[in-house]
Amino acid sequence: MTDTAAMSLPEHAWAGWSPCTPGCVSHAADRVPATRGALRAAVFVRAVTGAMLSGRRIAEPETLRARAATLLDSLGIRLEVTGDPTLSAPGGTGTLVVANHISWLDILALLAVEPVVMLAKREIAGWPLIGSLATRAGTLYIDRGSLRELPDTVREMAARMRDGQSVMAFPQGITWCSGTGGSFRRATFQAALDAGAPVRPVTLEYVQHGAPTTVAAFVGEDDFGGSLRRVLRADGLTVRVAVHRALRPMRDVDDRRRVAAQAQATVCGARLPLQQEIPALELAR
């Protein structure tokens, strides 16, 4: 372990830790020409501006879904979905949706499949453009460095699910360049048990022309601007979203440790076969 990695170890068990740094990030294909990247940047800014002009309507499910899909499309990113067509599982409550975490693009990809309440690190609220949109869309923020706030966050998640809202969490607690490292933190699974809600495991993967890539990863001391510039120059970038069969834990039988382990095994295990390939804009229709 390097001195830098040792210094970045978490202060407590909830705070996520990853050895990944911007040095892990690279293109798996030739970069698009700078002029094409600049054009994408202009289209992306226009798409973000359009989303901001939506005002409070951005929180409406169909508006949010359409805007997320448009933002992906503006960046030249294709979306492929396998497995179930929705993130929420049938039932009388909302669903706890859990996925591996690679990039800020994960949120756009998942919202383009189905708008759900996102649980995100508090720093995102301060990001230019994206932060304002995330807040207006109803994102729940968590301070990853404060264990004291965690019980309130779990209670809020459970309350949302009892009210029929599905909540999306990244239980690794931090991004990994390949998306499958680290252990799932168990606290968010307690919210599902308290609400009597199903758990939907989802696997995210990024490829360029079919080859695995880390170009979309947002890790270590990376910043949003640098990540965005890489994505704007990425050729043939696709985000694959594998929606697995829902887990239905029973409060009197299962505990959060067991449910977290089941979810992690599903998310980080075998990929589903490709069943459908959907351009991002088609998901907005």
Side-chain angles (χ1 to χ4, degrees), residues 11 29 33 42 51 59 94 106 111 123 126 144 151 158-159 162 168 191 198 246:
E11 297 178 0
D106 301 346
L111 291 177
E123 294 89 330
R144 296 183 303 179
R162 288 191 195 98
M168 174 72 224

Side-chain angles (χ1 to χ4, degrees), residues 72 75 77 103-110 206 216 227 231 237 239:
L72 282 180
L75 294 169
I77 300 173
S103 172
W104 55 275
L105 293 166
D106 301 346
I107 296 174
L108 294 180
L110 292 165
Y206 291 85
S227 175
V231 171
L237 184 58
V239 53

Side-chain angles (χ1 to χ4, degrees), residues 14 119-120 122 140-143 146 148-160 167 187-188 191:
W14 166 250
L119 179 68
R122 183 159 294 167
L140 287 175
Y141 292 113
I142 183 170
D143 183 351
S146 175
R148 183 179 303 173
E149 295 183 15
L150 187 56
D152 288 339
T153 301
V154 171
R155 282 193 288 270
E156 177 65 17
M157 292 172 64
R160 295 286 188 103
V167 180
T188 51

Side-chain angles (χ1 to χ4, degrees), residues 69-238:
T70 299
L71 287 168
L72 282 180
D73 193 74
S74 72
L75 294 169
I77 300 173
R78 191 172 183 83
L79 179 64
E80 293 179 357
V81 182
T82 65
D84 285 301
T86 62
L87 301 179
S88 295
T93 67
T95 301
L96 175 63
V97 184
V98 294
N100 57 315
H101 201 10
I102 301 170
S103 172
W104 55 275
L105 293 166
D106 301 346
I107 296 174
L108 294 180
L110 292 165
L111 291 177
V113 176
E114 181 191 343
V116 294
V117 176
M118 287 285 173
L119 179 68
K121 63 180 182 179
R122 183 159 294 167
E123 294 89 330
I124 289 179
W127 285 4
L129 303 177
I130 295 295
S132 176
L133 288 178
T135 300
R136 292 185 191 183
T139 298
L140 287 175
Y141 292 113
I142 183 170
D143 183 351
R144 296 183 303 179
S146 175
L147 194 61
R148 183 179 303 173
E149 295 183 15
L150 187 56
D152 288 339
T153 301
V154 171
R155 282 193 288 270
E156 177 65 17
M157 292 172 64
R160 295 286 188 103
M161 286 185 281
R162 288 191 195 98
D163 288 341
Q165 299 181 60
S166 292
V167 180
M168 174 72 224
F170 298 105
Q172 288 164 309
I174 197 167
T175 51
W176 289 69
C177 63
S178 64
T180 56
S183 298
F184 277 18
R185 271 53 184 175
R186 300 187 293 271
T188 51
F189 295 94
Q190 186 63 50
L193 289 168
D194 292 346
V199 176
R200 174 79 81 182
V202 176
T203 302
L204 296 163
E205 181 184 24
Y206 291 85
V207 298
Q208 285 182 273
H209 299 293
T213 183
T214 58
V215 71
F218 183 69
V219 292
E221 298 302 316
D222 207 354
D223 63 84
F224 177 72
S227 175
L228 177 60
R229 287 190 291 272
R230 282 195 304 273
V231 171
L232 289 170
R233 295 292 302 277
D235 188 36
L237 184 58
T238 296

